[in-house]
Amino acid sequence: MRVRDALGTVFTDEEFVDLFPADGQPAQSPGRLALLAVLQYAEGLSDRQAADAIRGRLDWKYALALELEDPGFNFSVLSEFRDRVIDGSAEERILELLLERLWQARLLRAGGRARTDSTHVLSAARTLNRLELVVEAMRATLNALAVAASSWLAPLISDEWCERYDQRADSYRLPKGEQAREQYTMEVGRDGYALLEAVHRADAPGWLRGVEAVQVLRLCWIQQYCRDHAGIRLREQKDLPPGGTGWPTRTTPTPATGSSGVAAGPATRCT
């Protein structure tokens, strides 16, 4: 609310008009989406959480100049806007415009230290969305297996898993801070690999591998994680595979990769 009172309209649609086509379906206000990206970063929210905040929080509606009854929009609009900003090489524009507004309002002094930039803002939101994705993929798979094979699954479930996957990822705040989120992401990654390997063990019912949620988890882990001799890591943006990558094209395992699509043992290449 103080942002709106002190700065008024921070970004205007005209400042982002070059990122949108002249024809086609109407888009959400790009000026509002730019401010939303800043608020989203400031509070450490994923796209789903930010979309929920727009619908349910009066302070966000006030800051974004929305009517009280405004229903908001689908969370996918936020990622689409970030893609337009990146594709249009306009990452620094948000920061420059915000600094200009702060300077005009006498809230910024010359020679001050810049604490972040627009690239960091966009990257933080994307990282949160990826974390939310892997948590929900793991949670959905556990729920599906609990129905399909509860007696098989029960010995695998630990107290940590119950705590980690008891609630939806967007129903609570994900860990704060880069280090805490990285550690949490690695914990989820190890859990997913452990579950996939259990499903593909020789003593596991063969039909478990055909459960749709298991196939989705396998695909998600191929796309989001990398495991080699150094351990597990989240793929960097530059080595993310295309969205359709990962569906199986063969049923026989290769020496380096088990039929689960994840490394069955020590590997020397990313799997």
Side-chain angles (χ1 to χ4, degrees):
M1 295 178 70
R2 292 179 61 189
V3 169
R4 183 69 183 178
D5 291 339
L7 301 179
T9 301
V10 181
F11 305 107
T12 66
D13 294 346
E14 290 73 16
E15 291 162 333
F16 299 93
V17 68
D18 60 302
L19 304 180
F20 294 81
D23 52 10
Q25 65 181 6
Q28 293 290 332
S29 164
R32 182 173 290 129
L33 293 175
L35 179 57
L36 178 56
V38 176
L39 297 177
Q40 180 181 359
Y41 172 78
E43 296 205 16
L45 303 180
S46 67
D47 286 351
R48 290 181 183 272
Q49 291 171 326
D52 288 341
I54 294 171
R55 285 188 289 269
R57 288 179 52 177
L58 295 180
D59 53 343
W60 275 48
K61 287 182 180 292
Y62 184 77
L64 297 169
L66 292 171
E67 298 292 338
L68 291 178
E69 64 272 13
D70 192 290
F73 44 75
N74 189 275
F75 69 94
S76 62
V77 171
L78 302 176
S79 63
E80 292 171 359
F81 176 71
R82 287 197 301 274
D83 289 342
R84 289 185 183 275
V85 171
I86 294 171
D87 293 342
S89 300
E91 295 92 334
E92 294 301 318
R93 191 179 308 178
I94 296 176
L95 175 64
E96 293 169 355
L97 291 170
L98 180 58
L99 291 177
E100 181 180 347
R101 301 293 187 270
L102 293 171
W103 178 265
Q104 293 171 352
R106 300 180 181 275
L107 296 174
L108 187 67
R109 294 179 295 176
R113 180 182 178 185
R115 298 180 60 185
T116 187
D117 58 29
S118 297
T119 304
H120 192 183
V121 171
L122 299 176
S123 175
R126 179 169 291 176
T127 300
L128 272 174
N129 291 332
R130 293 177 65 188
L131 176 53
E132 185 178 280
L133 169 66
V134 296
V135 172
E136 278 302 293
M138 182 68 180
R139 180 174 177 272
T141 305
L142 289 173
N143 284 340
L145 292 177
V147 174
S150 58
S151 59
W152 175 86
L153 179 65
L156 296 175
I157 299 296
S158 64
D159 293 340
E160 289 78 11
W161 283 23
C162 292
E163 181 178 354
R164 212 155 19 238
Y165 308 111
D166 180 57
Q167 300 182 22
R168 287 185 58 87
D170 60 351
S171 66
Y172 62 94
R173 296 290 179 88
L174 294 171
K176 294 284 188 180
E178 183 177 349
Q179 183 176 357
R181 286 175 182 160
E182 181 178 353
Q183 179 180 349
Y184 190 77
T185 303
M186 294 305 101
E187 290 172 350
V188 175
R190 286 189 289 269
D191 293 345
Y193 279 121
L195 183 58
L196 287 170
E197 289 170 352
V199 167
H200 287 84
R201 281 202 299 258
D203 59 349
W207 58 266
L208 287 179
R209 306 171 193 177
V211 174
E212 183 178 6
V214 172
Q215 297 181 13
V216 171
L217 182 70
R218 172 186 173 277
L219 172 62
C220 185
W221 257 238
I222 290 174
Q223 293 178 338
Q224 301 298 328
Y225 287 99
C226 184
R227 184 166 69 167
D228 55 23
H229 63 277
I232 299 173
R233 64 174 176 83
L234 195 65
R235 290 184 184 271
E236 298 179 9
Q237 192 63 35
K238 62 184 179 182
D239 66 358
L240 283 175
T245 301
W247 290 114
T249 57
R250 60 174 179 265
T251 56
T252 56
T254 64
T257 308
S259 59
S260 65
V262 297
T268 57
R269 62 185 177 89
C270 188
T271 57

